[in-house]
Amino acid sequence: MASELSIFEKRIDPVIQAGVVLVMVLLIDVFGVIVSGTNTVGVSNRFPWLCAASFMLFFALFNAVLSASAENIAKYWGRSIYSFMGLALGAGLLAWGFSGLTIGEAGSYRWIYLVVTVGYLVFLGMIAIIKNVVTFAQREEWNRPRTKNREREK
């Protein structure tokens, strides 16, 4: 029997991750247009911006977690950050195209984009720190704590 790897143990290129997420944004935007065309459910004209920001956050979380299994963290980070920038641009252009609103006209989505971007950088930093701590802990030789010999005065 073949052993099954966890998704967190697989090494998936960040460019592929961003591409898949961008296709998901496109599919959800098209689905939103179809649903709004049926007039059964009211879909806001800012829905594409919501979709773009949501999938950017999705990419940020999973990309940061998957960075823990990267062999060369510097190379992975470079590709990840460029992929995130491409995803933000692509998702923003899709949102603009589907909604007809610029990010400034879409209300608070400019700030949401900023918060997701800063959060992404924080996620990457946290994973890097955690990975360094775990690597350090694995290299150390752990013994039981030393006992201190203290004589109590009576």
Side-chain angles (χ1 to χ4, degrees), residues 22-48:
L22 191 59
V23 168
M24 291 168 60
V25 170
L26 176 65
L27 292 175
I28 298 297
D29 283 345
V30 168
F31 182 72
V33 168
I34 291 170
V35 168
S36 69
T38 63
N39 291 329
T40 57
V41 177
V43 177
S44 170
N45 62 341
R46 293 188 294 174
F47 176 75

Side-chain angles (χ1 to χ4, degrees), residues 53-126:
S54 299
F55 277 100
M56 283 174 51
L57 182 60
F58 176 78
F59 173 83
L61 285 171
F62 280 99
N63 182 260
V65 170
L66 291 175
S67 72
S69 67
E71 290 179 11
N72 184 349
I73 195 75
K75 181 180 177 185
Y76 190 90
W77 270 32
R79 293 182 66 79
S80 292
I81 291 173
Y82 287 129
S83 297
F84 183 80
M85 289 169 32
L87 176 63
L89 179 67
L93 288 173
L94 284 173
W96 174 52
F98 278 95
S99 70
L101 300 172
T102 64
I103 195 167
E105 296 169 340
S108 60
Y109 286 98
R110 178 185 304 170
W111 289 107
I112 292 173
Y113 252 60
L114 179 66
V115 168
V116 168
T117 302
V118 170
Y120 173 61
L121 297 174
V122 169
F123 291 152
L124 279 179
M126 285 174 41

